[in-house]
Amino acid sequence: MSDVQSKPDYILELDQVSKYFGKVIALKDVSLRLRRGEVHCLLGDNGAGKSTLIKTLAGVWTPNEGHYLVDGTPVHFKSPRDALDLGIATVYQDLALVPLLSVARNFFMGREPQRKLFGMINVMDLETCASTAREKLGEMGINVRDAHQAIGTMSGGERQCLAIARAIHFGARVLILDEPTAALGVKQSFNVLKLIHHARAKGISVIFITHNVHHAYPIGDTFTLLNRGKSMGSFLKQDISKNEVLDMMAGGAEMQQLIGELEDTTA
């Protein structure tokens, strides 16, 4: 990218973005491009800078250097609400759900539909909440018999699906998913990956943050690898194999160098 100009098929872009916390360099000259209707996997081990990049994309933090563009236009978010207003929704690992509240109330938290009681008093329309939550979760393959049940009764994978379905229902054009399969079993992880595929089929762009290549590679269209706050490059799926991604994440070149040094000392 040059002169902060972008091609129209990119919905979201970072151009040479850096973020500092005092003398700590959290991100340095990171670039990322997200096309409309694609799944872009952001890969890196713990401490690679994924969390800092997520919060920068979500409007929690402002870059110290570089440019952030949405629909080709530079943006300067002051809060996550600014990002949400442009259709950029982030689903964090904690999901921002309240276990003791119902499925319906969690689905509409902060955006509850109202109805008039006795023609005068505005109250939450619980039945509209329940029917909408059941319908939208049903579209994601999650069958909820009673949307008034506490969300704490749902599995981890079902809660992930609810958080994602909620973001889609309220107009997300870009979904940023923070390690959505990290604490899930095999079947639940598969269901989340199906949900990502469903979102892409609806034209929604997805940034899938993970350290699990086996989850990322089957669903991803493009990949960006982070290491210690720096980008190791962005790749189209047809240009890089799963084994090459694994090798880069595991520090294959450094490992081979170490093995060579060990062989030299024992020769």
Side-chain angles (χ1 to χ4, degrees):
M1 293 165 56
S2 61
D3 299 324
V4 202
Q5 293 178 349
S6 66
K7 296 180 180 179
D9 58 334
Y10 293 116
I11 190 170
L12 183 152
E13 302 165 80
L14 296 181
D15 181 21
Q16 298 291 299
V17 161
S18 298
K19 180 64 184 175
Y20 310 118
F21 296 97
K23 294 184 179 180
V24 177
I25 302 173
L27 295 174
K28 184 61 177 175
D29 297 331
V30 173
S31 294
L32 180 151
R33 289 172 169 170
L34 178 68
R35 290 181 175 85
R36 303 176 194 279
E38 84 166 358
V39 176
H40 188 106
C41 297
L42 182 64
L43 295 153
D45 214 338
N46 294 333
K50 299 192 303 296
S51 294
T52 303
L53 189 55
I54 293 166
K55 291 180 179 179
T56 300
L57 290 167
V60 177
W61 290 326
T62 302
N64 295 107
E65 297 172 355
H67 303 279
Y68 184 0
L69 296 87
V70 177
D71 295 320
T73 302
V75 294
H76 303 279
F77 294 148
K78 295 180 180 178
S79 73
R81 172 57 60 184
D82 292 342
L84 279 170
D85 288 343
L86 289 181
I88 301 169
T90 303
V91 178
Y92 294 100
Q93 288 190 58
D94 61 11
L95 303 179
L97 301 175
V98 181
L100 295 179
L101 290 182
S102 69
V103 172
R105 296 197 67 175
N106 269 284
F107 193 93
F108 280 93
M109 191 183 302
R111 304 179 185 182
E112 294 84 355
Q114 305 288 313
R115 65 179 178 86
K116 292 286 186 181
L117 184 63
F118 305 121
M120 298 180 294
I121 305 170
N122 284 328
V123 297
M124 182 177 176
D125 190 342
L126 288 173
E127 290 311 311
T128 296
C129 291
S131 61
T132 303
R134 278 195 303 268
E135 176 188 349
K136 297 304 176 181
L137 285 170
E139 291 176 2
M140 302 296 179
I142 305 296
N143 295 316
V144 177
R145 286 179 292 179
D146 182 9
H148 297 299
Q149 71 187 58
I151 202 169
T153 62
M154 300 177 75
S155 70
E158 289 171 335
R159 295 185 206 184
Q160 280 282 357
C161 290
L162 184 144
I164 296 170
R166 179 177 63 184
I168 294 173
H169 175 70
F170 286 108
R173 300 186 301 140
V174 175
L175 270 176
I176 302 171
L177 305 180
D178 178 17
E179 299 273 7
T181 61
L184 303 182
V186 175
K187 185 175 181 180
Q188 291 182 340
S189 295
F190 177 70
N191 287 337
V192 171
L193 295 180
K194 284 200 303 182
L195 191 53
I196 294 172
H197 174 71
H198 177 85
R200 175 173 54 192
K202 294 183 69 171
I204 296 169
S205 304
V206 180
I207 297 179
F208 176 23
I209 296 95
T210 183
H211 62 269
N212 191 324
V213 179
H214 300 292
H215 290 167
Y217 197 81
I219 196 69
D221 300 304
T222 52
F223 306 88
T224 293
L225 282 76
L226 288 182
N227 183 30
R228 299 180 183 179
K230 296 183 179 180
S231 174
M232 300 171 68
S234 294
F235 308 90
L236 295 171
K237 187 170 188 173
Q238 60 262 35
D239 295 334
I240 192 168
S241 69
K242 182 168 71 173
N243 287 337
E244 287 173 322
V245 175
L246 281 167
D247 192 52
M248 291 178 71
M249 286 186 64
E254 295 178 8
M255 183 65 71
Q256 290 300 320
Q257 182 180 354
L258 176 60
I259 291 171
E261 292 174 355
L262 290 174
E263 289 175 346
D264 290 340
T265 58
T266 58

